């Protein structure tokens, strides 16, 4: 049986969301009375057995000439190869940009049903039923499948990491999967030293209320103190104050951090669609009527230019006393 | 170049989402339907490619006849012809099978999907079509140049971008960046007039079976009222002790 989880890594290190995916897989495996096999693809420097803490029993590193630059079809074939060797029926894949490409391709190759956007552990196993979000966080849907094999795609950060405790054995698997002759990665450009938004557990976000791009210094300072990622509203990226990669919302990135601080953002329905999955929302806005307050847990009605520097200072002393 | 743009017919982004029939169906009552915003970027890109390099742009939807106004709109924007596979799009796998069947018959060079349909947010169809046809796939695709039989595509990765060279035919899951928002085409009077006479063919579905089904819908619980605080120390305190967020 076994549950296969894709243990995504970047530059040889497991991503933080990989821990969440492994612990989710462990919950599935426990319910089915089986074990978790974490599969890593390509070179990995991290101690593979470190995934044992989150519930993996076995960590298999797939190696071969085909696993240089990322290729979703090749990665999917590798996962399928291990699954077949192990007789695995269930897969867990985190909804990162790469995971979202691998999962649908794997679904065809493995002849498996694919339920994406899961936000809870499955509520039933016969038939397999899991809750997912839809309609840009405006609806929750229970999806069901009677297929023999199932891939669950989970929303990053929506479920949380659980330490199950335990040890994992590490081994490698020499794959016979061939490289893709029709596709070749030319270049990868990744912002250094910044937390990629979909992975950020804390996010500081700002909108048109900031008035000008140079005022983002105070947003970045606040984010630095918190160790948070930075995001922005759509108009802010449209006018070029901030990069497109920071645009969150229905037509941007959807995020589910544990804390989302919205500064000078009105809270339009399309913006909320991308962030309403956040566990705690703080709104700082000088207009008490701003719609965002209706979606917030905590709010300060005030001028961002006064409140944000104060908040940064308050957090600095809070951190200093921790 | 023969281009296929797959169009999902979705509720307008401002729609209130409700469910009906004992929460087993999405309530379309009073909902305005639009071309999936991600597919709009793909459609404009297709038209630009056609204008620069020649070829045809076909739009495709899997849906019942209520989606025809959405396909007519795509024709008014500039597609040459439309295909509607007459079936309820019961799940992404079913939809992908329909698209793959049409692609096999017509041999498109480029199959443009959106990164996601904003109704069910599956993010599945494009990747499934690519795997079914063994074609290269890039999503979320934020840039594409075509030179002869080679495409250079730019896709978003977590915290950055990845550039690849791919051999046509390919499948992409597009979004903003493929074209800029200011360049999005909208229907003009002439487009609307000519769209009426452009071919829109309905065809039967192939006998694929859905693998998943939505059994129960629910609206997220409404948020409790916001707690307004008037100084930052109280906020830090609440975030630490109550929300346990820091
Ligand atoms: C199809 C479609 C898709 C869209 N997709 C998205 C999307 O994905 N993401 C997105 O964000 N938007 C999206 N939008 C746009 C959305 O409708 C809003 O226009 C946008 O979110 C507003 O951005 P904003 O809040 O930064 O600006 P505004 O609405 O202008 O709000 C600025 C806010 O700042 C406050 N403010 C001003 N000065 C201060 C100050 N000194 N201190 C504190 N607060 C201050 C104001 O009170 C106001 O509430 C979409 C729209 C459409 C039609
Ligand atoms: C009227 C209706 C009834 C439905 N009934 C059910 C139901 O009973 N049970 C259930 O589980 N689901 C149902 N669905 C949802 C249906 O499964 C999805 O619309 C479909 O599977 C694709 O959703 P997705 O979010 O996976 O698409 P994604 O994979 O997110 O879409 C990505 C891209 O694929 C293309 N695409 C997606 N859908 C279509 C399409 N229909 N035609 C052409 N191109 C498309 C577009 O380019 C889109 O940008 C229904 C949908 C509709 C509109």
């Amino acid at each position: 049986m076994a549950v296969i989880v894709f243990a995504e890594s970047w530059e040889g290190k497991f991503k933080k969301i990989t821990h969440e995916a492994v612990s989710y897989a462990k919950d599935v495996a426990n319910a089915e009375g089986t074990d978790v096999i974490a599969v890593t693809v390509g070179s990995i420097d991290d101690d593979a057995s470190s995934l044992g803490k989150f519930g993996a029993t076995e960590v298999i590193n797939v190696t071969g000439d085909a696993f240089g630059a990322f290729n979703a079809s090749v990665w999917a074939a590798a996962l399928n190869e291990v699954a077949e060797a192990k007789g695995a029926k269930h897969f867990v894949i985190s909804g990162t940009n790469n995971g979202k490409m691998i999962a649908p391709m794997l679904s065809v190759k493995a002849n498996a049903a694919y339920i994406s956007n899961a936000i809870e552990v499955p509520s039933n196993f016969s038939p397999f039923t899991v809750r997912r979000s839809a309609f840009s966080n405006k609806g929750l849907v229970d999806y069901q499948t009677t297929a023999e094999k199932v891939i669950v795609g989970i929303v990053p950060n929506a479920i949380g990491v659980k330490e199950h405790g335990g040890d994992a054995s590490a081994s490698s698997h020499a794959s016979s999967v061939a490289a893709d002759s029709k596709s070749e990665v030319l270049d990868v450009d990744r912002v250094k030293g910044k937390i990629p938004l979909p992975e950020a557990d804390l996010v500081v976000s700002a909108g048109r209320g900031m008035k000008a791009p140079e005022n983002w210094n105070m947003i970045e300072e606040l984010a630095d103190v918190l160790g948070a990622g930075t995001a922005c509203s759509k108009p802010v990226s449209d006018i070029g104050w901030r990069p497109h990669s920071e645009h969150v919302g229905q037509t941007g990135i959807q995020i589910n951090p544990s804390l989302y601080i919205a500064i000078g953002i009105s809270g339009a329905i399309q913006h909320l669609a991308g962030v309403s999955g956040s566990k705690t929302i703080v709104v700082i806005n000088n207009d008490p009527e701003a719609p965002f307050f209706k979606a917030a847990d905590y709010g300060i009605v005030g001028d961002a230019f006064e409140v944000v520097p104060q908040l940064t200072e308050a957090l600095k002393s809070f951190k200093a006393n921790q | 170049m023969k281009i296929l743009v797959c169009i999902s017919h979705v509720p307008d982004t401002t729609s209130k989402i409700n469910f009906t029939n004992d929460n087993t169906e999405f309530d379309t009552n009073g909902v305005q339907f639009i071309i999936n915003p991600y597919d709009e970027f793909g459609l404009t890109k297709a038209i630009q490619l056609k204008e620069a390099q020649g070829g045809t742009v076909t739009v495709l939807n899997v849906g019942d006849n209520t989606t025809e106004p959405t396909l007519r709109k795509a024709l008014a924007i500039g597609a040459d012809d439309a295909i509607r596979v007459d079936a309820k799009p019961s799940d992404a796998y079913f939809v992908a099978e329909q698209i793959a069947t049409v692609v096999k018959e017509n041999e498109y060079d480029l199959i443009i999907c959106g990164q996601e349909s904003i109704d069910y947010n599956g993010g599945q169809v494009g990747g499934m079509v690519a795997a079914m046809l063994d074609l290269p796939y890039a999503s979320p695709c934020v840039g594409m140049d075509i030179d002869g039989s080679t495409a250079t595509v730019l896709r978003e990765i977590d915290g950055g971008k990845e550039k690849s060279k791919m051999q046509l035919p390919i499948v992409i899951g597009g979004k903003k960046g493929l074209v800029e928002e200011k360049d999005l085409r909208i229907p003009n009077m002439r487009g609307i007039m000519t769209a009426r006479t452009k071919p829109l063919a309905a065809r039967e579905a192939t006998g694929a079976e859905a693998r998943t089904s939505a059994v129960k819908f629910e609206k997220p619980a409404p948020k409790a009222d916001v707690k307004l605080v008037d100084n930052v120390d109280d906020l830090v305190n609440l975030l630490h002790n109550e929300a346990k967020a820091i």
Side-chain angles (χ1 to χ4, degrees):
Chain A
M1 286 272 287
V3 177
I4 299 273
V5 55
F6 172 49
E8 189 171 351
S9 56
W10 178 258
E11 290 179 340
K13 297 213 174 309
F14 291 121
K15 298 181 105 174
K16 207 189 76 200
I17 39 89
T18 293
H19 298 160
E20 180 185 37
V22 172
S23 65
Y24 183 95
K26 178 65 175 171
D27 281 333
V28 175
N30 279 348
E32 301 229 81
T34 180
D35 291 328
V36 174
I37 302 175
V39 179
T40 72
V41 182
S43 70
I44 187 95
D45 309 324
D46 261 1
D47 177 13
S49 62
S50 67
L51 298 181
K53 191 163 80 178
F54 306 99
T57 301
E58 220 183 316
V59 182
I60 299 180
N61 181 217
V62 180
T63 57
D65 294 340
F67 308 109
F70 177 73
N71 180 297
S73 173
V74 171
W75 259 235
L79 289 174
N80 190 36
E81 193 180 60
V82 175
E84 285 192 339
K86 296 285 179 180
K89 299 276 183 276
H90 291 141
F91 300 84
V92 174
I93 298 184
S94 192
T96 60
N97 279 313
N98 284 357
K100 280 186 183 168
M101 270 183 74
I102 295 170
M105 302 193 97
L106 176 62
S107 137
V108 172
K109 290 178 201 285
N111 201 13
Y114 171 34
I115 300 178
S116 53
N117 265 356
I119 50 167
E120 287 177 13
V121 291
S123 56
N124 197 349
F125 289 88
S126 57
F128 194 97
T129 310
V130 66
R131 176 155 286 206
R132 67 184 291 266
S133 82
F135 299 96
S136 310
N137 286 327
K138 288 186 262 182
L140 304 166
V141 197
D142 287 331
Y143 258 71
Q144 225 169 54
T145 178
T146 52
E148 195 196 355
K149 291 189 191 171
V150 185
I151 304 166
V152 185
I154 60 172
V155 175
N157 281 330
I159 293 134
V161 184
K162 216 153 82 184
E163 289 193 11
H164 290 274
D167 290 317
S169 68
S171 61
S172 68
H173 166 84
S175 172
S176 59
V177 172
D180 183 348
S181 59
K182 293 184 286 193
S183 172
E184 179 197 349
V185 173
L186 302 175
D187 184 38
V188 174
D189 175 16
R190 198 168 188 260
V191 189
K192 293 271 179 232
K194 275 215 149 196
I195 304 163
L197 202 44
E199 283 171 58
D201 194 34
L202 308 173
V203 173
V204 175
S205 183
R208 216 146 48 174
M210 292 311 292
K211 313 260 187 317
E214 55 272 21
N215 296 330
W216 251 264
N217 282 343
M218 72 175 94
I219 301 299
E220 299 208 322
E221 275 171 36
L222 175 58
D224 277 350
V225 175
L226 280 167
T230 48
C232 68
S233 67
K234 177 169 177 289
V236 161
S237 73
D238 285 348
I239 29 184
W241 291 358
R242 300 297 292 176
H244 281 306
S245 56
E246 285 194 1
H247 159 199
V248 292
Q250 184 150 23
T251 50
I253 299 176
Q254 275 100 47
I255 55 172
N256 300 270
S258 55
L259 177 62
Y260 183 75
I261 304 184
I263 301 160
I265 303 176
S266 56
I269 189 164
Q270 298 94 351
H271 184 87
L272 296 180
V275 304
S276 60
S278 310
K279 275 173 213 83
T280 299
I281 296 180
V282 174
V283 168
I284 299 170
N285 197 304
N286 62 1
D287 174 8
E289 302 296 321
F292 219 145
F293 284 115
K294 290 206 173 62
D297 298 284
Y298 305 106
I300 294 185
V301 179
D303 182 356
F305 294 86
E306 286 169 24
V307 177
V308 173
Q310 287 170 5
L311 181 58
T312 305
E313 287 312 312
L315 283 165
K316 269 189 200 155
S317 31
F318 166 77
K319 295 261 167 181
N321 294 325
Q322 280 289 290
Chain B
M1 185 163 44
K2 287 177 73 175
I3 308 173
L4 180 70
V5 184
C6 303
I7 305 268
S8 187
H9 159 89
V10 300
D12 175 37
T13 57
T14 55
S15 304
K16 294 252 182 305
I17 302 297
N18 289 305
F19 304 110
T20 174
N21 206 356
D22 197 20
N23 284 327
T24 57
E25 272 174 42
F26 168 58
D27 186 358
T28 55
N29 227 325
V31 171
Q32 177 89 26
F33 282 86
I34 57 168
I35 297 175
N36 184 35
Y38 296 113
D39 304 346
E40 268 191 284
F41 291 98
L43 178 58
T44 296
K45 181 71 191 186
I47 295 166
Q48 287 178 348
L49 283 169
K50 175 193 150 170
E51 286 169 356
Q53 313 189 352
T56 55
V57 176
T58 302
V59 287
L60 167 69
N61 172 262
V62 180
D64 64 22
N65 61 13
T66 59
T67 72
E68 291 205 351
T70 298
L71 284 173
R72 284 276 174 223
K73 183 171 175 203
L75 293 171
I77 290 172
D80 298 297
D81 64 319
I83 301 172
R84 181 173 64 83
V85 177
D86 185 27
K88 184 175 127 165
S90 46
D91 85 337
Y93 188 82
F94 174 84
V95 170
E97 284 264 19
Q98 307 310 321
I99 296 173
T101 304
V102 172
V103 174
K104 270 187 224 151
E105 279 173 27
N106 297 298
E107 299 190 342
Y108 297 97
D109 302 297
L110 181 58
I111 298 107
I112 302 183
C113 293
Q115 72 156 356
E116 183 177 298
S117 176
I118 66 161
D119 51 359
Y120 288 80
N121 310 121
Q124 307 196 355
V125 170
M128 287 179 174
V129 171
M132 285 167 182
L133 300 168
D134 195 20
L135 299 178
Y137 173 50
S139 177
C141 182
V142 291
M144 175 169 57
D145 288 317
I146 307 262
D147 183 7
S149 62
T150 310
T152 308
V153 298
L154 198 61
R155 71 175 268 263
E156 280 178 353
I157 56 174
D158 297 0
K161 293 204 170 86
E162 175 191 272
K163 192 197 235 175
S164 300
K165 199 170 80 184
M166 295 178 166
Q167 208 55 49
L168 295 184
I170 64 169
V171 181
I172 63 160
K175 68 181 283 189
K176 181 172 83 179
L178 208 48
V179 299
E180 287 314 319
E181 198 157 343
K182 62 174 171 41
D183 297 326
L184 280 179
R185 301 285 171 96
I186 49 170
N188 57 25
M189 214 15 124
R190 196 170 146 265
I192 295 167
M193 298 302 284
T194 54
R196 291 192 190 144
T197 54
K198 285 181 179 171
L200 192 169
R203 52 178 283 159
E204 275 179 33
T206 56
E209 266 183 57
R211 288 177 170 176
T212 60
S213 63
V215 286
K216 186 106 189 151
F217 294 88
E218 201 178 296
K219 289 213 243 181
K223 275 256 181 194
D225 281 348
V226 59
K227 271 193 194 167
L228 291 178
V229 293
D230 48 21
N231 72 73
V232 293
D233 294 318
D234 287 353
L235 180 62
V236 170
N237 196 1
L238 285 166
L239 288 178
H240 180 59
N241 292 313
E242 190 176 85
K244 307 213 182 305
I246 55 171

